[in-house]
Amino acid sequence: MSQCCDTNSAQPNDNTGRPLTVALVAGEASGDILGAALIREIRQHFPDAYCYGIGGPLMQAEGFDSLYPMERLSVMGLVEVLERIRELLTIRKQLRLRLIADRPDVFVGIDAPDFNLALERSLKANGIATVHYVSPQVWAWREGRLKKIRHSVDHMLALLPFEADYYRDHGVPVTFVGHPLADQIALQPDQQAAQAQLGVTGSGPVIGLLPGSRKAEVGRLGELFLDTARLLRKDFPGARFLIPCANERRKKQLLPVLGNYPDLDVTVFDGQAQAVMAASDAILIASGTAVLEAALHKKPLVVSYKMSPITYAIVSRLVKVKYVALPNLLADRELVPELLQDAATPERLRQAMNKALTDQAYRDALKVSFTDIHQQLKRDASKLAFAAVMSVIARKNS
């Protein structure tokens, strides 16, 4: 791991007496979690630090000044990006001009590589220190981005151990920080306490349904997951289903769909995804960072995803790895089922969820594997990320 400086020795890069100024851009809910934890750590050392850019509600709760709504960046899929490309380019250009004029002490791009790497390259060319938090998955696909990363990023913060090895081998300064979720989530989550917190009562199995945080994800997976829930209710008549909505927009999108399922015992929550995971006996979940979060809660889970047919046809030819779910990638074997695209049918999801709910030996084995992953990633990520960021500032100012 890279050596970091004394975090209190790095100071702002001019003589105006202004506070430490950190620009950050997060593009979705998972980045908002990382950004909020990093800002919280920054403020422990620099209470007057000014943190601004693009972020979500968690970052804003830490005093972050978001110049644009984070949801405008929250888009996935080649076709979907093309539909929004003009708006995304306009936001990036305006932000780039603002940051070059402001000259923050450091810019931290959190995930969102297609948006952040080009921005980082321009900022670095203008003498502004750049850090990228959550390494782009060039080890999985689009390895050609490595050259762009070298020209864009002063330092990479990797969440996974094999990522740090990969970037180090390719000449990119990197620190393996672990994952803040592994620091936040208890090694032994309390299911009864979570159910009490959410007001969950009854004797049937509790099943979490997490169809994603983006509009397109909920559009493609919402009905699929509810159709699966309807089948599961035949197997488990007392089953209760919990759906955490990432924000009010996703809730408004989902509630009309739920009107078609009056036979299901479904409770929708504003946020509270972690409480839903902790309260559940098994989880049906969209592929993404939330899968790791569910695994850290030691819950049997089934991973699913659907893209537009064109996007899937292109991406499936470019991806070089066997798995999409982080627990499977970390274990280098299929710990949890991945039912993607055409394989994601209600009947197949029902079969996989049945095993997750009833096969006790399988459930016990998963808990052991997930605990191993949790211990591997529990490294006090925000402290390590902060130390690396301050080290980059110190090098830039030396």
Side-chain angles (χ1 to χ4, degrees):
M1 183 173 68
S2 301
Q3 296 298 313
C4 296
C5 65
D6 175 357
T7 57
N8 289 314
S9 66
Q11 296 297 328
N13 59 12
D14 61 21
N15 296 316
T16 64
R18 72 174 188 179
L20 179 73
T21 303
V22 182
L24 305 96
V25 169
E28 58 183 279
S30 59
D32 193 31
I33 294 171
L34 299 176
L38 178 57
I39 292 168
R40 194 157 50 246
E41 186 67 31
I42 289 170
R43 292 198 186 285
Q44 287 187 17
H45 299 267
F46 297 91
D48 297 329
Y50 176 50
C51 300
Y52 73 119
I54 301 177
L58 298 179
M59 293 169 68
Q60 291 175 54
E62 298 297 332
F64 180 78
D65 182 8
S66 189
L67 307 179
Y68 303 88
M70 186 183 72
E71 175 147 308
R72 305 316 302 159
L73 273 59
S74 186
V75 56
M76 176 173 282
L78 304 177
V79 173
E80 294 82 355
V81 169
L82 288 174
E83 293 173 350
R84 297 262 304 281
I85 189 67
R86 180 171 295 183
E87 179 188 10
L88 292 169
L89 290 176
T90 298
I91 291 174
R92 188 165 65 190
K93 179 181 178 181
Q94 292 174 347
L95 185 61
R96 174 174 59 83
L97 293 174
R98 166 75 182 265
L99 296 181
I100 289 173
D102 289 351
R103 304 199 64 78
D105 294 293
V106 65
F107 173 83
V108 182
I110 305 174
D111 209 355
D114 290 319
F115 185 93
N116 277 326
L117 285 176
L119 179 58
E120 287 160 0
R121 182 166 187 166
S122 180
L123 296 177
K124 185 177 179 181
N126 280 274
I128 297 171
T130 60
V131 175
H132 195 88
Y133 197 175
V134 185
S135 63
Q137 295 177 343
V138 289
W139 41 268
W141 73 311
R142 294 174 63 191
E143 192 170 35
R145 289 180 293 174
L146 268 172
K147 182 177 180 181
K148 182 177 183 179
I149 289 169
R150 290 193 196 98
H151 286 94
S152 305
V153 177
D154 287 310
H155 204 90
M156 181 69 69
L157 303 180
L159 306 187
L160 310 175
F162 64 83
E163 292 178 325
D165 293 338
Y166 178 90
Y167 278 98
R168 193 174 294 111
D169 290 344
H170 287 84
V172 177
V174 62
T175 298
F176 167 46
V177 300
H179 205 296
L181 287 172
D183 300 320
Q184 297 169 14
I185 297 170
L187 280 169
Q188 297 182 337
D190 189 334
Q191 183 175 21
Q192 289 186 337
Q195 290 186 358
Q197 174 187 334
L198 298 176
V200 175
T201 59
S203 58
V206 178
I207 300 171
L209 303 177
L210 285 83
S213 60
R214 301 182 178 93
K215 180 179 179 180
E217 291 172 337
V218 174
R220 291 197 174 94
L221 299 179
E223 288 191 35
L224 172 64
F225 283 14
L226 290 167
D227 287 342
T228 303
R230 181 169 275 164
L231 294 178
L232 287 169
R233 187 174 178 275
K234 296 178 181 178
D235 304 321
F236 307 96
R240 295 149 295 162
F241 300 92
L242 312 181
I243 304 179
C245 291
N247 52 52
E248 187 63 27
R249 290 176 290 274
R250 296 293 76 78
K251 184 177 181 179
K252 289 181 179 179
Q253 180 184 0
L254 189 62
L255 286 179
V257 179
L258 279 171
N260 299 321
Y261 298 85
D263 51 317
L264 295 180
D265 181 357
V266 180
T267 306
V268 175
F269 297 93
D270 295 314
Q272 301 198 73
Q274 286 201 18
V276 167
M277 292 177 184
S280 297
D281 294 301
I283 299 170
L284 177 57
I285 189 167
S287 177
T289 302
V291 173
L292 177 63
E293 195 171 356
L296 293 173
H297 279 91
K298 321 302 182 299
K299 301 298 179 176
L301 54 106
V302 175
V303 179
S304 186
Y305 209 78
K306 282 181 177 287
M307 301 178 178
S308 74
I310 294 175
T311 298
Y312 184 77
I314 295 171
V315 169
S316 61
R317 287 169 171 77
L318 297 175
V319 171
K320 301 181 297 182
V321 292
K322 293 183 290 185
Y323 309 111
V324 300
L326 280 175
N328 293 344
L329 284 166
L330 287 165
D332 196 25
R333 60 189 177 93
E334 188 176 279
L335 291 178
V336 300
E338 301 177 358
L339 296 171
L340 312 175
Q341 211 66 8
D342 293 341
T345 66
E347 182 56 41
R348 293 190 69 175
L349 293 173
R350 171 197 198 177
Q351 293 171 5
M353 286 295 290
N354 260 289
K355 179 176 181 179
L357 286 161
T358 62
D359 188 333
Q360 192 58 49
Y362 171 68
R363 292 170 59 88
D364 291 342
L366 274 183
K367 186 173 183 179
V368 171
S369 296
F370 289 164
T371 300
D372 289 343
I373 289 172
H374 197 152
Q375 291 172 331
Q376 185 180 27
L377 299 182
K378 187 177 175 65
R379 295 174 57 84
D380 209 342
S382 296
K383 285 187 181 298
L384 291 175
F386 168 75
V389 167
M390 300 311 297
S391 178
V392 170
I393 295 174
R395 290 200 303 270
K396 184 67 69 173
N397 294 342
S398 62

